[in-house]
Amino acid sequence: MSEKKPSVLEGFKAFLMRGNVVDLAVAVVIGAAFTNIVNSVVKGIINPLVGTIGTKNLDGYSSCLKGPCTGTGASAEGVRILWGSVLGATLTFLITAAVVYFLMVLPMSKYLARMEARRKAKEGTHEIIEVTELEVLKEIRDALVAQRGSGHDGR
């Protein structure tokens, strides 16, 4: 009595049909498109602003660790630290993170907090009504018990 093992193809199909895989694929596609927007903002706005201080291209900023640092590309000599390109990548990351936070995360968390507050307010209203109804029913019960008790004593 051996159990039938699912085929590799069936397992792969089950993997692809999971909801989180599809969500992840959508996120990657949107992220790639969003990266183009952020890169355009960095190249079109941030780099010119930095260019007012120095050069428009941050990749041009470097320091020579072991000289003489001459030439570029395959003919470069010396050991150069290209801190300008690191700065540019860091700015791109910070801009991306800020845009995602301020345009997506913050509004969504505020919306979810509002929805949670509304839900709690509705639940709180129902609890008050239920407690009030329960208290009224207890009072009616106590009044009926008191009436029965006084009716038996009077006879």
Side-chain angles (χ1 to χ4, degrees):
M1 298 184 107
S2 64
E3 294 179 21
K4 183 181 176 187
K5 292 184 179 179
S7 71
V8 174
L9 187 59
E10 289 172 353
F12 183 67
K13 181 181 176 185
F15 170 74
L16 288 179
M17 290 305 180
R18 281 193 205 158
N20 57 356
V21 173
V22 174
D23 292 342
L24 182 60
V26 169
V28 168
V29 170
I30 295 296
F34 186 69
T35 300
N36 289 334
I37 293 170
V38 172
N39 287 337
S40 296
V41 169
V42 170
K43 289 178 185 174
I45 297 172
I46 301 299
N47 285 351
L49 290 175
V50 172
T52 60
I53 300 168
T55 177
K56 279 187 176 181
N57 188 359
L58 292 175
D59 294 338
Y61 291 108
S62 65
S63 297
C64 189
L65 189 62
K66 181 178 178 185
C69 290
T70 58
T72 58
S75 64
E77 294 180 15
V79 179
R80 214 174 260 195
I81 303 292
L82 302 173
W83 59 270
S85 60
V86 174
L87 179 63
T90 303
L91 284 173
T92 302
F93 171 77
L94 289 175
I95 291 169
T96 305
V99 168
V100 167
Y101 180 76
F102 289 112
L103 295 182
M104 295 176 189
V105 173
L106 191 62
M108 183 58 98
S109 61
K110 285 184 179 182
Y111 171 75
L112 292 175
R114 263 187 298 191
M115 295 306 288
E116 183 68 18
R118 285 181 185 167
R119 186 185 63 79
K120 285 184 179 180
K122 285 182 181 179
E123 286 178 2
T125 304
H126 292 301
E127 289 175 12
I128 292 171
I129 291 172
E130 290 173 9
V131 169
T132 304
E133 289 175 0
L134 184 61
E135 288 175 1
V136 169
L137 289 173
K138 284 181 181 179
E139 289 177 11
I140 293 171
R141 180 199 64 198
D142 293 342
L144 289 172
V145 168
Q147 282 179 356
R148 282 187 199 159
S150 64
H152 290 294
D153 291 350
R155 288 186 183 177

